[in-house]
Amino acid sequence: PNNTILVSLAADSVIRQNAYKGAATGVNMYNAAQSTEMASEYIQKGIFMLYVIGVLAALMYYAGMYISFRHKLKRSAYEVQREDYINCLDSLCREMNIKREIHLMASESVSSPIFTGIIRPSIILPKNDILLDDLRLILKHELTHYKRGDMIYKAAALAVHIIHWFNPFSYLALRTINEACEYSCDEAVTKNMN
């Protein structure tokens, strides 16, 4: 009988030891799962912070470029006073059914004509003289940008690009949209030419 009791106690001791080991293993597995979950959470937070920093950097870069460009224009641009230029613009605005006032400016800061401004739309010409026939085509091209709302499309494309700064295709898409706007306006201007 004593042997039976000893065997029983030894078996009980082994069972307890295995139970403790099992409990410890369960705790270790729980701790491992918890630390894996925490690591995953840190990685997600890190990626999100990197994304936000990228968005802010892209936003600051493009805002800085825009502010610099506007500042340069503000210092160098002036209202065009030539009556033949102004009459050409007025005539085209009537022809294209544009009611809003479009400002005609000139600046030494631009090398080719540009349309700028959503709130205060302006056409900025280079400082050099332009023949009236060429001026008519130039102004029609720039007014086509206004008529089609290209400034709004370009601003929306830039916003999408900033949000997707990490995607190399967004750089390509932004450039393609800008080029498509230019080609489309050229096509519209030259469509009825001989």
Side-chain angles (χ1 to χ4, degrees), residues 5-154:
I5 293 173
L6 285 175
V7 170
S8 177
L9 286 172
D12 190 43
S13 173
V14 169
I15 291 170
R16 277 194 203 133
Q17 284 178 352
N18 286 339
Y20 290 139
K21 285 181 186 175
T25 304
V27 168
N28 288 342
M29 288 176 60
Y30 174 75
N31 287 339
Q34 191 176 22
S35 59
T36 302
E37 188 177 306
M38 286 174 52
S40 175
E41 192 175 310
Y42 284 131
I43 290 170
Q44 287 176 353
K45 285 181 181 177
I47 290 171
F48 179 73
M49 290 305 295
L50 180 65
Y51 170 76
V52 169
I53 289 169
V55 168
L56 292 175
L59 185 63
M60 288 179 6
Y61 172 76
Y62 287 110
M65 283 180 50
Y66 178 76
I67 289 168
S68 172
F69 174 72
R70 293 299 296 180
H71 183 68
K72 209 184 286 187
L73 276 183
K74 200 174 218 179
R75 284 185 301 163
S76 66
Y78 56 90
E79 289 275 347
V80 171
Q81 301 298 320
R82 285 187 56 172
E83 201 158 317
D84 52 345
Y85 281 27
I86 295 168
N87 290 338
C88 184
L89 176 63
D90 290 342
S91 168
L92 280 169
C93 283
R94 281 191 304 277
E95 182 182 309
M96 296 174 74
N97 199 27
I98 296 174
K99 306 280 189 244
R100 190 155 181 207
E101 181 184 7
I102 307 290
H103 299 274
L104 188 58
M105 314 281 287
S107 173
E108 59 194 26
S109 297
V110 296
S111 57
S112 62
I114 59 169
F115 184 88
T116 183
I118 295 172
I119 297 169
R120 186 177 186 266
S122 302
I123 296 173
I124 316 289
L125 300 173
K127 199 172 179 182
N128 52 339
D129 284 339
I130 302 169
L131 297 172
L132 279 179
D133 288 340
D134 293 339
L135 179 69
R136 184 170 174 76
L137 292 174
I138 289 167
L139 293 178
K140 192 168 187 178
H141 172 98
E142 299 307 329
L143 288 172
T144 303
H145 280 301
Y146 173 76
K147 189 86 171 163
R148 291 183 174 181
D150 285 350
M151 297 301 291
I152 295 168
Y153 292 132
K154 288 181 179 184

